[in-house]
Amino acid sequence: ELIAKVTEENWKYTVSVTFNNTFVLAVPDPDDIAVDIKVEKTVKNTGELSIGPEGFEFVLEDTLNGEKITLQTGDKGTANFKLPFTAADIGKTYTYKLYESNNGIKGVTYDTDIYNINISITLGQDNKLLASITMNEKTVDTAVAEFENIYYAVTPPTSDNNNISFWIIL
């Protein structure tokens, strides 16, 4: 805005010019972030046979809307849920529960632990999104849920019931 003013006193003219500038500093939206929730699976083999930690299914359930994400463990017994957050999530807290699906594998006693996970999104002073995580009411830097199943199985007997004396006589 430009304001000009002319004043006169005893045939002297004074011109005053005032500039009123308004600057708008455009702050870009902060970059999106992702929060990892990691699963570490172990299997305690107690019988004659053994199985590995791969192929077990885990569920991450949003307790507000009931939406579920499922993942299976890889060959090392790990799975990773990656949750994206944007500027629209600032000031919100998301609540999840994480548990293992019981897929009915014979001889397996499944871990029944349930992890309650809260993720709160805030904006830091440097215009970056921050995520605060609690697991079972404890603040954590990284969300890692550990599950252990127990597997007990014995080698099944063979179905060969042939009479051994027949083979000896032969």
Side-chain angles (χ1 to χ4, degrees), residues 47-161:
E48 296 173 9
L49 299 176
S50 65
I51 61 173
E54 67 280 349
F56 287 93
E57 184 178 85
F58 292 87
V59 178
L60 183 65
E61 182 177 341
D62 185 323
T63 60
L64 180 64
N65 62 25
E67 289 182 17
K68 296 177 183 179
I69 304 169
T70 59
L71 288 178
Q72 287 189 348
T73 52
D75 60 351
K76 294 185 180 178
T78 60
N80 188 38
F81 293 92
K82 191 175 227 43
L83 303 176
F85 296 96
T86 67
D89 297 311
I90 295 171
K92 296 179 183 176
T93 298
Y94 297 89
T95 304
Y96 303 92
K97 63 180 180 178
L98 174 62
Y99 54 91
E100 182 174 10
S101 295
N102 182 334
N103 291 337
I105 298 173
K106 190 172 182 164
V108 172
T109 302
Y110 287 85
D111 192 322
T112 58
D113 288 344
I114 296 175
Y115 288 85
N116 295 303
I117 302 168
N118 295 317
I119 301 173
S120 298
I121 306 299
T122 57
L123 183 63
Q125 290 180 340
D126 56 355
N127 197 42
K128 292 190 181 207
L129 292 180
L130 303 173
S132 301
I133 307 166
T134 61
M135 287 183 67
N136 294 342
E137 299 181 8
K138 293 181 183 173
T139 301
V140 295
D141 291 328
T142 305
V144 178
E146 297 176 349
F147 294 87
E148 181 181 72
N149 290 352
I150 299 171
Y151 178 64
Y152 181 80
V154 294
T155 307
T158 63
S159 60
D160 185 6
N161 293 327

